[in-house]
Amino acid sequence: MIEIGKYNELRVLSKTEAGLNLTDGDKLVILPYQYVPKGLEIGDNVNVFVYIQKDGRLTGTTQKAYAEVGDFAFLKVVSDGEDGTYIDLGIDKDVYVPTKEQKRPMQKGYKYVVYLYLDENNERLLASSKLYDFVEEEDFDFEEGDEVSLLITEETDLGFNAIINNTYIGLLYHNEVFDNIQVGEQRKGWIKKIRVEGKIDLTLQPSGYGHILDSKEMILAELKKNGGIIELGDKSSPEEIYHCFQISKSAFKKTIGSLYKERLIVLSDDSIRLLTDDDAE
């Protein structure tokens, strides 16, 4: 079955004046000649993005779309239309965002995180910036501590909302962010906490003993690289620590605490230093 708004593997059936007829064995899709790959012949298979033209024809393109139906994506408004705006999908077909599907009025030239879906009446491709209408709120396929992919959607008073694995939504609190983060950015993150009411707290830092082991090796390597001393300690700011090691202050303190217990380093408020033979004496 042909999936509109997605890529489909179709067979070349015949040639017409407008382009190649493609089929899944049931319906026909026209592939205009400007998008026909060189050497493609009748009987060959080709992967195309399928959409519906205004006249109702199924049309294919080999252009690379930025997203498919069912995806959340960060896309740019390219023009205004009647009761809505159009966003660039990376192909010749722009996507319509009805005014009623805009969380806030969308302006030409700006980019927004939207969800792509099909109009129930005519299967035409649409988008919405009302993201909460399209996220799942239960049956999570992850647990606390799991690594996930994040799409940053907006900044709030508490932090940054982010789409998780293209399915759920969670919150990255301001105190979990130690570098510059932007709406539309894709990040690797971790599930920090799943609350009783179903809210999801996120972090950009992995947790657990395995992460401490990795951090220990990183800090020891940096110490050796810097002549046995680093100007960071218990009193250093979270931003300074993240800039150097890309870990939170909490993870840094756990790591240097473990190194201290193993008698590998000497601690002070503003620095850490490799333990030497003189220290041991």
Side-chain angles (χ1 to χ4, degrees), residues 6 74 78 91 109 154 175 177 180 183 185 206 214 249 262:
K6 294 188 177 185
F74 190 50
V78 291
I91 62 177
E154 65 176 340
N175 63 4
V177 179
N180 187 31
V183 171
E185 189 175 353
D214 292 340
K249 183 169 182 177
E262 295 176 33

Side-chain angles (χ1 to χ4, degrees), residues 10 12 14-22 28-38 40 46-53 55 57-63 91-93:
L10 303 176
V12 180
S14 60
K15 295 182 179 180
T16 71
E17 291 185 1
L20 300 181
N21 277 328
L22 311 178
L28 291 180
V29 174
I30 185 72
L31 177 63
Y33 281 117
Q34 66 261 41
Y35 306 127
V36 175
K38 186 176 181 180
L40 188 67
V46 61
N47 194 38
V48 296
F49 184 91
V50 177
Y51 59 92
I52 295 180
Q53 293 279 26
D55 59 9
R57 287 187 305 164
L58 288 175
T59 303
T61 179
T62 51
Q63 294 174 295
I91 62 177
D92 283 348
K93 177 71 172 179

Side-chain angles (χ1 to χ4, degrees), residues 94-228:
D94 294 330
V95 179
Y96 186 57
V97 189
T99 300
K100 66 179 182 179
E101 288 297 331
Q102 298 178 25
K103 183 177 180 180
R104 301 181 185 88
M106 299 170 72
Q107 301 179 43
K108 183 179 177 180
Y110 289 86
K111 298 181 76 173
Y112 302 86
V113 177
V114 297
Y115 179 81
L116 271 63
Y117 67 100
L118 293 180
D119 189 308
E120 293 181 355
N121 298 318
N122 54 30
E123 292 193 296
R124 286 195 171 89
L125 190 56
L126 298 176
S128 173
S129 61
K130 295 182 177 180
L131 307 183
Y132 277 92
D133 292 344
F134 301 95
V135 294
E136 298 290 337
E137 296 181 341
E138 54 187 18
D139 298 327
F140 304 128
D141 60 359
F142 46 68
E143 299 177 350
E144 292 181 5
D146 283 358
E147 180 180 320
V148 292
S149 63
L150 303 177
L151 172 61
I152 309 301
T153 63
E154 65 176 340
E155 185 174 6
T156 71
D157 292 340
L158 294 175
F160 292 88
N161 288 332
I163 298 296
I164 306 166
N165 292 347
N166 198 50
T167 305
Y168 311 95
I169 197 163
L171 178 62
L172 184 64
Y173 286 93
H174 281 302
N175 63 4
E176 292 290 343
V177 179
F178 306 104
D179 64 344
N180 187 31
I181 192 169
Q182 301 292 330
V183 171
E185 189 175 353
Q186 295 191 9
R187 286 276 188 137
K188 179 168 64 175
W190 285 263
I191 303 299
K192 184 175 183 179
K193 185 176 182 61
I194 301 174
R195 299 186 178 275
V196 176
E197 65 272 23
K199 303 294 184 181
I200 304 168
D201 295 347
L202 302 167
T203 177
L204 296 179
Q205 305 298 322
S207 58
Y209 186 65
H211 176 52
I212 297 302
L213 289 177
D214 292 340
S215 299
K216 284 167 63 175
E217 294 299 323
M218 177 174 60
I219 289 175
L220 285 173
E222 194 68 16
L223 279 165
K224 292 173 183 176
K225 177 181 173 182
N226 287 277

